[in-house]
Amino acid sequence: MVLFEMVVNTNTLENYGASGVAAVAIVINVFEFVFYLSEGISDYEIVAMNDSIGKNSSERMDYSIKITKRAAMIEGIVLTAIILCTSFIMPAAFDIDDAETAGRATIMLIILAPATIFICFSRVAGIFYQYTRRVLRAIVMIGMAIAVLPILFSMLFGQIALEGIAVGIASGPVVAIGLMYGYVRFIKKEKLFSYGMCKVQEV
C-alpha cells in the first residue's frame, strides 16, 4: 500500500503538478479506506475458517465462504452507493477549495466507486488463500490488487488524462480478480474459493 501511494503520487506530481496530486490523493485515501474497512469481514472469515478447519467440517467451511462472499458483495455495493452520493462533497471534506481540482476529484471518485466491490473481494480472497495454506497465491492476489496492477494501470492511463489515473487505480482490483479467477478456473481446474478439507490439512 505504501509503494502504491508513493509511486502513484510521484507519477501524478511529475505529470499534473500539485493540484493533480491533491485530487488523486482523495482517490487513494478512499481506496485505502475501503480496503481497510473490509478487514471487518476478514475478521469473521478468519475465525470461521479456523473453526471449520479445526473441526474438519466441509459444511461449516461452505457456510463461512457463503457468508464471507455475501458480506463482501453487500459491503461493496453499500460503499459504492455512499461514494457516488458523496463524491461531490468529499473534496471539500479534504480541504480542496479550488473548483477545478474539486470537480476532477469528483469525477475520479465516481470512476473508483464501482471498484469497491472488487477491492473487498480481493481482500477476502487473499485471506481465504492464506488460511487454506496457499500463501504464495494470497501474496499474489493482494499484491496485484492493491499495488502492482493499480500502479501499472494508473501510469498507463495517466498518460491520457488526470482522470485516467483513477481509471487505472480502479482497474487494478478488477483485473486482479479476473486474472486469479482465470488461473484457478482454467489452469488449476478449481473454483475461486475452492479448498478441499483434506488438502487444507495436509499442505
Side-chain angles (χ1 to χ4, degrees):
M1 193 68 81
V2 172
L3 180 65
F4 158 64
E5 187 170 345
M6 179 181 68
V7 174
V8 172
N9 279 334
T10 300
N11 184 62
T12 304
L13 183 62
E14 290 175 353
N15 290 285
Y16 298 102
S19 63
V21 172
V24 169
I26 299 177
V27 178
I28 292 175
N29 285 335
V30 172
F31 183 99
E32 293 176 348
F33 171 77
V34 172
F35 183 75
Y36 290 130
L37 191 63
S38 65
E39 185 174 353
I41 301 174
S42 298
D43 287 343
Y44 161 79
E45 182 183 16
I46 291 168
V47 173
M49 285 196 299
N50 279 332
D51 179 65
S52 303
I53 293 170
K55 295 178 179 177
N56 199 32
S57 172
S58 296
E59 291 77 11
R60 285 180 176 272
M61 181 65 89
D62 289 340
Y63 179 76
S64 66
I65 292 171
K66 179 181 177 180
I67 295 299
T68 298
K69 291 193 295 185
R70 183 182 298 172
M73 178 67 71
I74 292 172
E75 183 172 287
I77 291 172
V78 169
L79 289 173
T80 295
I82 291 174
I83 293 170
L84 289 174
C85 292
T86 62
S87 60
F88 66 98
I89 61 172
M90 208 174 290
F94 283 88
D95 294 326
I96 294 180
D97 51 14
D98 179 72
E100 182 180 357
T101 303
R104 302 186 84 170
T106 297
I107 293 171
M108 287 192 284
L109 287 170
I110 293 171
I111 292 170
L112 177 69
T116 56
I117 297 172
F118 295 91
I119 296 172
C120 293
F121 262 100
S122 66
R123 174 64 174 262
V124 299
I127 296 296
F128 173 78
Y129 294 137
Q130 176 188 348
Y131 276 82
T132 51
R133 301 187 183 183
R134 290 169 286 185
V135 178
L136 181 58
R137 193 185 294 188
I139 292 172
V140 171
M141 177 75 260
I142 297 297
M144 286 196 305
I146 69 168
V148 178
L149 294 182
I151 288 172
L152 292 177
F153 288 141
S154 66
M155 293 179 70
L156 175 64
F157 296 121
Q159 301 300 314
I160 301 172
L162 177 62
E163 291 79 5
I165 296 174
V167 174
I169 292 172
S171 298
V174 177
V175 175
I177 288 290
L179 290 175
M180 185 57 70
Y181 177 81
Y183 170 73
V184 300
R185 181 69 179 85
F186 300 107
I187 296 178
K188 301 296 289 185
K189 307 300 182 182
E190 302 170 355
K191 296 180 180 179
L192 188 62
F193 286 87
S194 178
Y195 56 94
M197 294 306 297
C198 293
K199 184 177 180 180
V200 170
Q201 297 298 316
E202 295 171 356
V203 175

